[in-house]
Amino acid sequence: MALIVQKYGGTSVGSLERIQAVADRVIRTRRTGHDVVVVVSAMSGETDRLLDLARGLSGRPIERELDVLLSTGEQVTIALLSIALQEKGQDAVSFTGAQVRILTDSAFNKARILDIDGAQVRKALTEGKVVVVAGFQGIDGEGNITTLGRGGSDTTAVAMAAALKADECSIYTDVDGVYTADPRIVPEASRLDRISYEEMLEMASLGSKVLQIRSVEFAGKYHVPLRVLSSFKDGPGTLITDEDEAMEQALIAGIAHNRDEAKLTIVGVPDRPGIAHSILGPIADANIEVDMIVQNVGADKTTDLTFTVHRNDYDKAHDILQRTAKEMGAKGVNGDKRIVKLSIIGVGMRSHAGIASRMFKALANEGINIQMISTSEIKISVVVDEKYLELGVRALHSAFGLDKGTGKNG
Ligand code: ADP
Ligand code: ASP
Ligand code: MG
């Protein structure tokens, strides 16, 4: 008998009919003789609706109270799914994050899981019950309710699977696996049979929101076999697993895009040691995460420094940078919110040359200007004008032979 953790996202539990369909699927798994722990998200749109309510009262709602509010979405679905299961004759019990004792740090709205007790869950499983756990939420050392950041139910599922030493963690969603690019943007994208933890982590970090980044980190660290599947149709899905030889032959696993970033430039800074620190120090002190950084020295011995931040942090970063520019005697500050980051990801890059130039050529052929570039061992990212998002992703997808029927996945 195996222990399976299944996670169902917002669309999959978006109505009573869908909750009943989830119950049927859970019962099918249970009837094959496996123990099942189910992690659910809030019904689709619910977390946004709750956020809007809070924002209707305050421009910056208190983070602790926001978590008390947002966690209610998942409390609704655990109860409804348990009721549906029992109605269909399957004994089930629901638990909130606090009841399972999913212990997190106290970083409200983006808490990290520290430990899972799980004794309650194990006890209920030995009693023959299906256990339904609320995703996205935990409790800190003081007993405050915390949430794990948007998309956090994925992380709850993988963390539960790791804590319970489950045989597999299945993420049921509205696509039937991980694709070579977001299928909403590239209709020619194809489903990957397998992808390594490392590549999936890059894809998630670079904007593929099919899995929350932390969930992939957890799965890689604890070697949890992770599968992304459709809750609407049967199929093999995509297995996320340790790298194997076959994967290394694939040059590029996928294309990711991220429209959440904005870029800022401080122009004409005197070029001397310590300037990067003087510019980026105050940004870091304000808890703003910086992603890409580019610096170049001009003929006049002054330098321009450009970096990207999350779009939500743009205004705050712009204010800070303007103060810094004044203090340093810089020429000024420019910014642009209308940018996107396009990335190609693949472990095959380690052993192949010429990938970057192929990427740049594909973009040049479409007349897309590259504003910034950054590379690491298994990815290359560029920043371009947001109006080129679709065109750029599709051009890269086809340039690397990923279009359905033409590439290794076709
Ligand atoms: P859930 O509510 O089930 O957690 P999400 O909306 O968080 O679902 O994730 C599924 C969505 O992720 C898909 O509908 C798809 O548009 C998007 N997505 C982005 N990149 C990819 C990719 N490379 N492969 C599959 N889906 C992707
Ligand atoms: N309900 C939360 C969200 O919308 C968590 C999740 O769905 O994973 O982000
Ligand atoms: Mg999700």
Side-chain angles (χ1 to χ4, degrees):
M1 186 199 258
L3 170 61
I4 313 282
V5 174
Q6 297 185 338
K7 178 258 172 178
Y8 293 90
T11 320
S12 310
V13 294
S15 66
L16 292 184
E17 291 71 33
R18 288 191 171 171
I19 288 175
Q20 283 171 323
V22 167
D24 289 335
R25 187 179 285 281
V26 170
I27 290 170
R28 279 208 299 281
T29 312
R30 181 81 190 94
R31 298 239 162 104
T32 55
H34 303 314
D35 278 336
V36 188
V37 172
V38 189
V39 174
V40 284
S41 294
M43 294 168 93
S44 56
E46 178 63 6
T47 309
D48 286 332
R49 189 186 71 87
L50 294 167
L51 258 177
D52 283 348
L53 286 177
R55 287 187 184 139
L57 295 172
S58 161
R60 273 196 72 192
I62 298 181
E63 290 169 345
R64 179 188 183 280
E65 303 311 327
L66 211 49
D67 280 355
V68 174
L69 178 69
L70 296 188
S71 64
T72 62
E74 273 72 11
Q75 193 165 335
V76 169
T77 44
I78 52 169
L80 291 176
L81 180 58
S82 300
I83 292 169
L85 283 163
Q86 307 223 30
E87 192 61 25
K88 289 175 186 288
Q90 171 60 54
D91 205 2
V93 59
S94 68
F95 292 125
T96 63
Q99 286 171 321
V100 179
R101 297 209 51 78
I102 298 179
L103 187 71
T104 72
D105 60 19
S106 301
F108 296 114
N109 311 166
K110 48 173 186 245
R112 292 169 77 94
I113 296 177
L114 302 174
D115 188 38
I116 294 183
D117 175 334
Q120 281 247 46
V121 176
R122 284 194 195 89
K123 182 164 171 287
L125 288 173
T126 57
E127 291 164 359
K129 292 176 181 150
V130 164
V131 178
V132 184
V133 177
F136 177 57
Q137 55 180 260
I139 189 172
D140 74 359
E142 267 88 65
N144 298 299
I145 294 173
T146 55
T147 65
L148 310 179
R150 298 309 301 268
S153 301
D154 297 331
T155 302
T156 306
V158 177
M160 286 297 306
L164 299 169
K165 301 199 168 45
D167 297 275
E168 185 166 306
C169 180
S170 314
I171 306 286
Y172 286 94
T173 181
D174 56 6
V175 270
D176 64 349
V178 177
Y179 275 66
T180 46
D182 187 342
R184 288 186 207 198
I185 299 220
V186 186
E188 295 79 19
S190 43
R191 183 182 54 81
L192 296 161
D193 284 327
R194 301 159 76 95
I195 183 170
S196 67
Y197 293 121
E198 202 185 359
E199 287 169 318
M200 191 64 236
L201 189 61
E202 287 285 3
M203 294 265 287
S205 309
L206 295 166
S208 301
K209 288 178 183 159
V210 59
L211 287 172
Q212 201 199 31
I213 304 169
R214 281 282 288 154
S215 72
V216 187
E217 255 170 30
F218 246 107
K221 189 164 167 200
Y222 296 102
H223 298 278
V224 178
L226 187 61
R227 199 181 284 277
V228 176
L229 303 134
S230 164
S231 60
F232 303 117
K233 66 174 199 205
D234 290 332
T238 300
L239 182 68
I240 297 129
T241 179
D242 287 309
E243 199 176 304
D244 66 21
E245 279 168 24
M247 286 174 187
E248 241 174 327
Q249 286 160 16
L251 207 51
I252 297 300
I255 316 288
H257 67 273
N258 186 351
R259 31 176 142 225
D260 293 338
E261 291 192 28
K263 87 173 178 174
L264 289 151
T265 303
I266 179 163
V267 187
V269 185
D271 184 32
R272 56 168 193 266
I275 60 130
H277 177 250
S278 316
I279 295 167
L280 296 172
I283 302 282
D285 292 344
N287 244 330
I288 298 173
E289 230 174 277
V290 171
D291 180 25
M292 291 163 90
I293 304 170
V294 172
Q295 193 205 333
N296 221 333
V297 182
D300 64 349
K301 285 285 182 315
T302 69
T303 174
D304 295 351
L305 188 135
T306 303
F307 58 94
T308 62
V309 297
H310 196 284
R311 263 188 214 192
N312 294 345
D313 290 326
Y314 176 82
D315 292 335
K316 202 160 134 195
H318 196 271
D319 288 351
I320 295 170
L321 205 56
Q322 255 171 339
R323 275 200 298 277
T324 308
K326 220 181 231 160
E327 281 163 26
M328 297 180 89
K331 286 190 196 122
V333 171
N334 299 326
D336 190 353
K337 274 191 182 185
R338 293 186 318 274
I339 56 151
V340 285
K341 185 167 73 176
L342 312 182
S343 309
I344 59 174
I345 297 114
V347 289
M349 253 183 236
R350 284 197 195 115
S351 47
H352 287 82
I355 309 272
S357 74
R358 194 153 144 196
M359 179 183 196
F360 304 154
K361 184 174 171 211
L363 297 170
N365 286 346
E366 301 295 341
I368 299 173
N369 186 39
I370 299 171
Q371 302 179 12
M372 295 171 87
I373 301 170
S374 94
T375 64
S376 77
E377 208 189 7
I378 64 160
K379 74 114 207 281
I380 304 170
S381 302
V382 296
V383 165
V384 302
D385 190 311
E386 74 175 4
K387 72 175 180 236
Y388 295 127
L389 170 64
E390 273 93 3
L391 183 63
V393 174
R394 287 186 196 137
L396 294 175
H397 197 266
S398 123
F400 286 97
L402 297 174
D403 287 356
K404 225 182 265 169
T406 60
K408 62 186 171 64
N409 305 299

